Amino acid sequence: MEWPILPSFLSKYVPRNEEYTPNKHGLFESDTLRGFLVDSSDDKSIQNPLSLFQVVPDKYPYETESEDRIESLDPPKNVFLSSILSVDRKIIRIDPRNLYPNMSCCDVFRKYLKDNDICNLCFEQDSQILLLFHKYLLNINYETEFEKFRDCLVELCKQYNDTIEKGDQEYHLKVHSDFERKRLFIGYKCRYSNLYEYFFPVIHAGRVVAVLMQGQRIPPQTSQDEIFPYYRNYSDSLKKSIEAISKSKYNQETMSEERENAIFRRISVLERRIEQEVLGFARMLVSNKFNEIQYAFRKELKNNTNSEGKIALEEYSAILDRALERICLIFNPNGFIRIYTAESSIETINKTNTRFYLIGTSEVLKKQLVPKEIKFLGITQEELDLRDGMDLARFAHPSIQLNKGDIFRIEPLQVGGIRNLIWKNYNEESFIHECQFKLYGESLCSMYHMFLEPYHVLKSIEMQERLEVSMRVSVHEAANIIPTIHTTLSKEYDINNSTYNRIREGATVSDIRSRERILYDSIQRLLLLDSLYRKSTLIFKNSLPVYDWTDLHRAVYSIETLFSESALKNKRQRIIVDMSTYLNKCDFWTDISAFNHILFNLIDNAVKYSLRGSKIYVTVDIPKDQEKYLVSSPDKIDTLIISVINYGFKISSSDRDKMFNLYYRSEQSKSEEGRGIGLFLVDKLCSALSYTIENANSVLVSKIHLPAKHYYIESKPEFKTNEKLPDDIKRLLSDSVSPEILERVVNVQQAVKWKIGTNEISSLLPQGTYENKFVLTLKAPQGQQLLRYINK
Amino acid sequence: MNMSHRKKILLVEDNGIVAENLENNFLEYDIETAYSVNSALDRWEEDGPFDCIIIDLQISPDGLTPNENGQYTPLFGMAVINKLGAKFSKEEIGEFRKKIIIYSGFIKELKDHRWDNQEIWNIRGLCLFEKNALSIDKITKYVNNLLK
């Protein structure tokens, strides 16, 4: 069955060995149409025989298989009309026959023609309905371009009238139209009978599918002698039938307003029946095809599922693409369907920045041209659901250009509130066959659940596995810290005799300070544990920023303190905070929990990926043009810039593009413990607070590992005589480095020991030193002050 | 020639705080620390042999080839054990392995043979300690007994 359902005629005929389709084989049995004609002819406001004409394929033998209920017209002799018909089509006519007979004179006239082997002149007149099937009119939508349709028809009638012999103007066709009701009909006088006839188009989907003819009305002031004036002289039976016409038929309007309205009403009824029938077929087709597609989709999924019951996301995506392509090929060949989805459990943490990822598109061959990711900026998730089309697209990045027929909206799934973004395009036919495309659209919407179900199950399994890994790493990290806290506290606070003695003897100030230090140290480690726990669970939480005034100095230094000891002891690194005296005295307006996480992750990241033995800088600044406000009017400062600068390996531009993605880990970073969550969280939290986070391009500081060089030479100044050391390493060690750069990069504290051997220096030294910088820009929410002085 | 009578321990641990805690428990021994595969091999070459090796498995892979890196992920400490083990003959290897104490959060996985290649993940003869709040004390007692 073809889509959309668009029959060009009504009478049903299905040749043997052909599968029925309304577009090729019509809609109704001829008796159904005949019933309609009888009923309509008998309408008390019509009371006139009506007949129905259709243009059908010439090869369909209706007339032989319908026991005279349908008759085919002979091809018209008029060249203008025959050119419209073309050789492979013919006109068929259905009328009520004896159920509502014609005026008998017309039937007698036809019999006379037949008996005398004269061609059917009535058919020649009836063939004028072909004007409504002219190719010019085929391209004009009757419903939406009625005026144009009517003007074109008038012009066609004029051209046709010109083909009728001169002097025959009284037989010309005339178009009657009603713009308000968008209705028209054509009237003419039969050149043989001098009776009036009218034909009305029956419309479906803006096109003429049949023509209803109201026949044989005697024009006013017409005498008996003027009816069949020529042929009545040759046929007594014709003459008698004319004389038998009831006097009541004379001197009446050929088309009263009442009859015209009644015929229009009847045509409307027929058109509604056609529409219902077409929608019935459309519903069946949509249902059948979607069932087939659904079955094929599930079968493909099953065939590609591995022994563990899983399927690769790429494979799932390819199967979805094929299903969507199939749908478009059947229902919407020039359109497309694109399905994006957000990972709700992760994305909901951020209310104003929502990313959607492409998981399926019907454009299989052009998939690379479809945006892989659409990010909405400056719109809350609740607002996302309320907007669509351009109203929604203007929040999208990359900027989305919508075209006519594009549908762009969020479709939340019922369970779990998972949001999906649907971007589809309907071709132009959808506007003509709106009801049918509505059925298609509704069925498509009901398929999204089925399509997305495996995706969300797969993502859920993946999340579960990653969560397990996250928990494992967290447990491992925690396992590193817990023993130290336990040992420290149990040693210091183990109640034994010496403790009692100390209590009895009284503690010195130095004892108390020493204990305070131990307590403080333990508290810091407990905080670190708490942060590790939060880091592994935060991505699954749904939270809104809670702002308050916070001491800037404490906020920055507390995170620095958290890392300073571990950075030094683990990697011989030193963290240096650089903040002006004035900023040290300021409160800033922030969500301290979110800020702590941001700075925690940035410094954690810096410690992990900095060179062993290097320095890490945390600078807190304001824009140059606002420095003048620092002393007296901090309320006028609207921006705070926190940079975390470290010295490590080069970050490639492709890593830079992906570093804020969840679970992304560059090849270089894989040697460090981590889950690819930290920077993702930083990005999410920054968006939630309307902060920005940027990673500057890596800057080459030295082609060698500066701290390794410094520490190696310091412990082995006689390296030039070391026979095991390769010559190229010796050369690199001999190269001079400016003291300023060394001072800037290397943590040269005396207390820091790092014993480097031959293997280690040979492997480390050729690795260059690059400066990497994350810049966090803080802004206060609109109308809110960012900084204020506090009394410390 | 090393004239010291003090026993020697090689501590392979990339977490400096944990390493410091362990060091403080072994003040009567000479301790050398390493944080990566390469630094552990260097310490063995420059300061070895050792009477005991305490090794965390999740250390820096620095010194491994990309192929080795893939094989030993995520427990690069096993590479140190295997590379040092390769320096010993078949007769000596058993004694060498008795000196090794693994100190890790992945003991259960190792015992359950989570990873397939048993040549790489061979734990026969090694002493295994799960990292937890009490394990530093347990290791201290074990090492003191071992080096008595």
Side-chain angles (χ1 to χ4, degrees):
Chain A
M1 206 176 279
E2 293 161 32
W3 178 271
I5 308 295
L6 190 58
S8 55
F9 55 91
L10 304 180
S11 289
K12 191 170 177 180
Y13 183 85
V14 189
R16 277 177 200 153
N17 306 325
E18 275 190 38
E19 193 188 339
Y20 169 68
T21 158
N23 292 11
K24 280 185 188 166
H25 305 122
L27 284 177
F28 301 112
E29 299 298 335
S30 55
D31 279 348
T32 307
L33 292 169
R34 204 156 158 241
F36 161 79
L37 290 171
V38 173
D39 197 34
S40 303
S41 301
D42 202 28
D43 186 313
K44 68 177 180 181
S45 301
I46 297 177
Q47 294 297 310
N48 219 90
L50 300 174
S51 45
L52 192 74
F53 293 85
Q54 300 163 68
V55 176
V56 299
D58 187 46
K59 62 184 179 183
Y60 293 176
Y62 289 98
E63 59 281 12
T64 56
E65 294 188 14
S66 62
E67 296 169 351
D68 286 347
R69 287 190 298 272
I70 298 179
E71 55 185 334
S72 294
L73 274 59
D74 296 333
K77 296 213 170 345
N78 180 287
V79 178
F80 192 90
L81 297 178
S82 62
S83 70
I84 298 173
L85 190 59
S86 72
V87 287
D88 57 348
R89 298 196 298 173
K90 66 181 175 186
I91 304 169
I92 58 168
R93 168 192 164 121
I94 305 174
D95 62 34
R97 290 291 162 98
N98 51 356
L99 294 174
Y100 202 99
N102 277 323
M103 281 176 78
S104 62
C105 59
C106 290
D107 289 337
V108 173
F109 176 61
R110 282 185 204 174
K111 188 169 182 310
Y112 168 79
L113 295 173
K114 194 175 179 185
D115 291 347
N116 291 282
D117 268 348
I118 302 170
C119 71
N120 193 328
L121 298 172
C122 292
F123 284 173
E124 184 69 20
Q125 296 281 287
D126 290 342
S127 296
Q128 293 174 135
I129 60 103
L130 282 172
L131 289 168
L132 284 164
F133 293 90
H134 195 280
K135 62 180 178 186
Y136 290 167
L137 293 177
L138 279 179
N139 299 322
I140 303 171
N141 188 298
Y142 179 95
E143 283 153 356
T144 57
E145 302 169 292
F146 178 75
E147 198 172 336
K148 192 175 171 189
F149 187 97
R150 183 252 183 204
D151 292 346
C152 185
L153 182 63
V154 168
E155 179 57 29
L156 290 168
C157 286
K158 186 172 167 292
Q159 288 176 21
Y160 169 71
N161 288 337
D162 288 345
T163 66
I164 301 172
E165 290 164 41
K166 284 181 183 173
D168 282 353
Q169 279 192 13
E170 61 180 311
Y171 303 117
H172 280 184
L173 269 58
K174 202 172 178 185
V175 177
H176 305 260
S177 54
D178 179 342
F179 282 93
E180 201 172 310
R181 287 187 292 179
K182 289 189 178 176
R183 286 292 182 191
L184 57 77
F185 60 94
I186 297 172
Y188 69 98
K189 193 176 183 181
C190 170
R191 61 172 61 218
Y192 307 106
S193 66
N194 278 330
L195 301 180
Y196 261 87
E197 292 187 319
Y198 298 91
F199 52 88
F200 299 75
V202 177
I203 305 294
H204 173 68
R207 296 203 308 184
V208 180
V209 288
V211 177
L212 188 72
M213 182 175 281
Q214 183 228 268
Q216 307 128 1
R217 301 294 301 189
I218 303 167
Q221 284 91 45
T222 301
S223 69
Q224 230 186 56
D225 298 341
E226 289 171 85
I227 299 174
F228 290 106
Y230 179 74
Y231 289 95
R232 63 189 292 153
N233 299 325
Y234 297 96
S235 166
D236 282 345
S237 53
L238 179 59
K239 196 171 178 181
K240 278 179 190 168
S241 68
I242 293 165
E243 287 166 356
I245 296 170
S246 158
K247 284 187 182 172
S248 64
K249 302 263 185 190
Y250 289 92
N251 287 319
Q252 281 191 352
E253 279 184 277
T254 50
M255 179 58 72
S256 67
E257 193 180 333
E258 187 188 356
R259 193 182 306 115
E260 183 185 313
N261 288 339
I263 292 174
F264 283 152
R265 264 201 315 276
R266 289 286 170 171
I267 289 175
S268 295
V269 169
L270 179 59
E271 287 172 348
R272 277 201 298 278
R273 278 288 307 275
I274 296 168
E275 183 73 29
Q276 283 169 2
E277 201 72 12
V278 163
L279 282 179
F281 283 118
R283 199 168 286 119
M284 188 171 77
L285 179 66
V286 167
S287 167
N288 288 347
K289 290 295 173 193
F290 272 87
N291 270 340
E292 283 172 22
I293 290 163
Q294 181 172 340
Y295 178 75
F297 176 75
R298 288 189 188 280
K299 197 174 170 188
E300 268 202 88
L301 278 183
K302 196 178 170 189
N303 291 344
N304 286 281
T305 302
N306 65 21
S307 56
E308 291 174 8
K310 290 185 201 165
I311 181 169
L313 271 172
E314 294 75 19
E315 196 56 53
Y316 157 80
S317 192
I319 294 169
L320 178 59
D321 286 349
R322 286 195 285 276
L324 296 177
E325 186 188 36
R326 239 171 271 159
I327 293 172
C328 272
L329 282 175
I330 296 169
F331 295 104
N332 200 12
N334 299 320
F336 61 75
I337 308 164
R338 297 166 184 169
I339 301 179
Y340 295 78
T341 188
E343 291 163 34
S344 71
S345 55
I346 298 164
E347 298 296 339
T348 48
I349 191 172
N350 188 342
K351 291 284 180 185
T352 54
N353 170 7
T354 311
R355 281 198 185 92
F356 287 84
Y357 307 94
L358 180 74
I359 57 165
T361 174
S362 59
E363 301 137 298
V364 176
L365 298 175
K366 295 186 289 181
K367 192 169 183 178
Q368 73 279 10
L369 302 175
V370 179
K372 299 277 175 296
E373 185 182 317
I374 294 174
K375 185 176 175 181
F376 289 97
L377 299 168
I379 183 168
T380 63
Q381 294 203 6
E382 286 71 20
E383 279 179 301
L384 276 177
D385 298 350
L386 303 174
R387 297 169 189 265
D388 59 14
M390 266 319 290
D391 197 25
L392 178 62
R394 66 194 168 89
F395 292 96
H397 177 79
S399 59
I400 301 296
Q401 293 299 318
L402 296 186
N403 296 308
K404 192 187 171 196
D406 274 11
I407 290 172
F408 191 74
R409 65 159 173 260
I410 303 293
E411 295 266 0
L413 291 187
Q414 300 296 324
V415 180
I418 298 167
R419 286 174 172 81
N420 304 292
L421 172 67
I422 305 298
W423 184 1
K424 56 186 173 181
N425 176 276
Y426 281 138
N427 61 30
E428 294 213 342
E429 279 205 312
S430 66
F431 303 106
I432 303 166
H433 312 290
E434 202 181 335
C435 292
Q436 291 189 56
F437 272 83
K438 197 175 164 202
L439 286 175
Y440 155 69
E442 285 168 358
S443 293
L444 182 60
C445 284
S446 68
M447 294 283 277
Y448 295 146
H449 285 251
M450 195 269 299
F451 285 147
L452 288 163
E453 182 191 58
Y455 175 80
H456 289 297
V457 170
L458 285 170
K459 289 305 278 186
S460 161
I461 293 171
E462 189 186 289
M463 284 289 286
Q464 204 176 329
E465 285 172 352
R466 285 183 187 279
L467 179 61
E468 265 181 40
V469 174
S470 297
M471 297 301 278
R472 184 183 300 283
V473 177
S474 287
V475 165
H476 176 74
E477 286 177 351
N480 278 328
I481 296 162
I482 292 171
T484 66
I485 300 170
H486 179 267
T487 314
T488 312
L489 290 178
S490 59
K491 260 190 187 169
E492 190 60 28
Y493 295 96
D494 187 20
I495 303 295
N496 53 29
N497 285 335
S498 75
T499 316
Y500 288 130
N501 287 339
R502 272 202 287 172
I503 292 168
R504 273 195 295 272
E505 287 161 11
T508 63
V509 173
S510 138
D511 279 346
I512 293 167
R513 283 197 179 147
S514 157
R515 286 189 166 214
E516 273 180 353
R517 267 200 304 279
I518 290 163
L519 271 177
Y520 178 76
D521 178 61
S522 299
I523 289 167
Q524 290 303 309
R525 288 176 196 187
L526 284 168
L527 281 173
L528 184 64
L529 270 184
D530 183 51
S531 291
L532 284 171
Y533 159 73
R534 281 167 189 248
K535 200 161 73 166
S536 60
T537 55
L538 187 67
I539 56 168
F540 305 105
K541 284 186 183 168
N542 191 356
S543 55
L544 284 174
V546 180
Y547 288 92
D548 205 348
W549 286 109
T550 304
D551 184 332
L552 180 59
H553 173 93
R554 283 193 185 176
V556 174
Y557 276 92
S558 67
I559 303 292
E560 181 267 334
T561 310
L562 214 52
F563 284 99
S564 58
E565 189 192 2
S566 57
L568 181 69
K569 291 185 175 168
N570 291 350
K571 296 182 78 176
R572 310 297 186 257
Q573 293 160 340
R574 185 175 164 210
I575 303 170
I576 298 162
V577 177
D578 180 9
M579 179 160 45
S580 79
T581 318
Y582 291 109
L583 285 173
N584 266 317
K585 292 177 188 168
C586 282
D587 273 344
F588 71 127
W589 183 252
T590 192
D591 175 329
I592 185 60
S593 172
F595 176 83
N596 274 343
H597 276 290
I598 294 170
L599 200 57
F600 179 95
N601 283 310
L602 288 177
I603 298 181
D604 182 40
N605 206 55
V607 169
K608 273 183 184 162
Y609 304 116
S610 292
L611 302 179
R612 190 177 178 83
S614 65
K615 285 179 181 167
I616 295 160
Y617 294 89
V618 180
T619 65
V620 185
D621 256 317
I622 55 170
K624 285 263 176 251
D625 60 341
Q626 296 188 11
E627 280 175 358
K628 59 191 172 201
Y629 303 127
L630 199 53
V631 179
S632 55
S633 323
D635 54 307
K636 289 184 180 163
I637 295 169
D638 66 1
T639 307
L640 204 55
I641 302 160
I642 298 179
S643 305
V644 178
I645 303 157
N646 72 301
Y647 296 93
F649 303 116
K650 185 182 181 182
I651 300 173
S652 69
S653 58
S654 67
D655 283 338
R656 185 167 292 106
D657 289 344
K658 296 174 195 159
M659 60 166 53
F660 293 108
N661 291 357
L662 182 61
Y663 299 129
Y664 181 74
R665 303 205 67 209
S666 70
E667 279 307 310
Q668 282 173 336
S669 70
K670 283 181 183 163
S671 59
E672 289 291 337
E673 263 180 22
R675 292 142 281 177
I677 295 173
L679 288 180
F680 168 81
L681 268 181
V682 168
D683 187 43
K684 293 282 151 199
L685 292 168
C686 281
S687 298
L689 298 175
S690 298
Y691 295 171
T692 57
I693 179 72
E694 286 174 323
N695 177 243
N697 287 339
S698 295
V699 178
L700 178 68
V701 177
S702 170
K703 287 179 182 171
I704 58 170
H705 190 302
L706 288 176
K709 172 180 166 141
H710 169 80
Y711 281 97
Y712 186 76
I713 293 175
E714 198 175 56
S715 62
K716 295 185 172 67
E718 75 296 350
F719 70 88
K720 287 180 184 167
T721 58
N722 180 351
E723 288 176 2
K724 289 183 183 172
L725 203 60
D727 289 343
D728 56 335
I729 299 297
K730 283 181 188 166
R731 259 197 309 280
L732 288 175
L733 285 168
S734 306
D735 288 348
S736 65
V737 180
S738 96
E740 291 78 21
I741 291 179
L742 267 182
E743 168 64 24
R744 170 84 184 159
V745 175
V746 182
N747 179 21
V748 291
Q749 282 174 298
Q750 291 296 314
V752 176
K753 286 178 189 162
W754 179 10
K755 213 168 173 182
I756 306 181
T758 309
N759 287 318
E760 199 177 355
I761 193 67
S762 304
S763 133
L764 290 184
L765 199 64
Q767 298 168 6
T769 302
Y770 288 84
E771 182 180 279
N772 293 311
K773 180 153 86 169
F774 280 91
V775 181
L776 172 68
T777 307
L778 286 73
K779 297 258 183 191
Q782 207 170 10
Q784 172 63 47
Q785 194 177 324
L786 180 65
L787 286 174
R788 71 172 188 192
Y789 274 134
I790 47 167
N791 292 321
K792 288 188 179 172
Chain B
M1 192 177 164
N2 183 10
M3 299 300 288
S4 169
H5 296 296
R6 281 160 67 93
K7 303 270 182 172
K8 288 167 66 181
I9 298 173
L10 173 60
L11 175 57
V12 187
E13 165 64 270
D14 66 344
N15 186 312
I17 298 172
V18 174
E20 191 179 69
N21 256 276
L22 279 165
E23 280 182 80
N24 289 338
N25 280 12
F26 298 124
L27 295 174
E28 64 269 44
Y29 307 113
D30 284 341
I31 293 198
E32 291 294 338
T33 56
Y35 69 97
S36 68
V37 175
N38 252 348
S39 67
L41 298 179
D42 277 342
R43 284 313 100 231
W44 185 273
E45 269 182 35
E46 290 181 12
D47 304 311
F50 292 91
D51 301 297
C52 172
I53 301 168
I54 303 171
I55 186 161
D56 175 24
L57 296 183
Q58 277 203 306
I59 57 168
S60 164
D62 181 49
L64 294 182
T65 63
N67 188 32
E68 287 173 327
N69 195 313
Q71 283 179 325
Y72 284 103
T73 300
L75 306 181
F76 304 113
M78 286 304 287
V80 175
I81 295 171
N82 292 337
K83 280 175 185 282
L84 290 180
K87 296 177 189 290
F88 294 89
S89 66
K90 275 185 183 174
E91 293 73 35
E92 295 167 330
I93 190 76
E95 281 304 307
F96 167 69
R97 288 174 77 88
K98 279 182 191 169
K99 294 177 182 174
I100 297 173
I101 298 164
I102 290 183
Y103 172 56
S104 166
F106 284 81
I107 297 299
K108 189 174 182 308
E109 284 75 4
L110 280 172
K111 284 181 177 173
D112 290 348
H113 302 293
R114 186 187 172 108
W115 295 281
D116 293 335
N117 190 336
Q118 287 309 303
E119 203 175 316
I120 285 177
W121 304 105
N122 177 14
I123 52 170
R124 205 176 309 141
L126 306 177
C127 177
L128 310 175
F129 279 99
E130 184 77 41
K131 256 190 188 175
N132 60 40
L134 302 173
S135 48
I136 291 182
D137 285 347
K138 285 183 183 171
I139 290 175
T140 308
K141 280 179 192 161
Y142 182 86
V143 171
N144 286 334
N145 272 333
L146 184 74
L147 300 183
K148 214 160 30 181

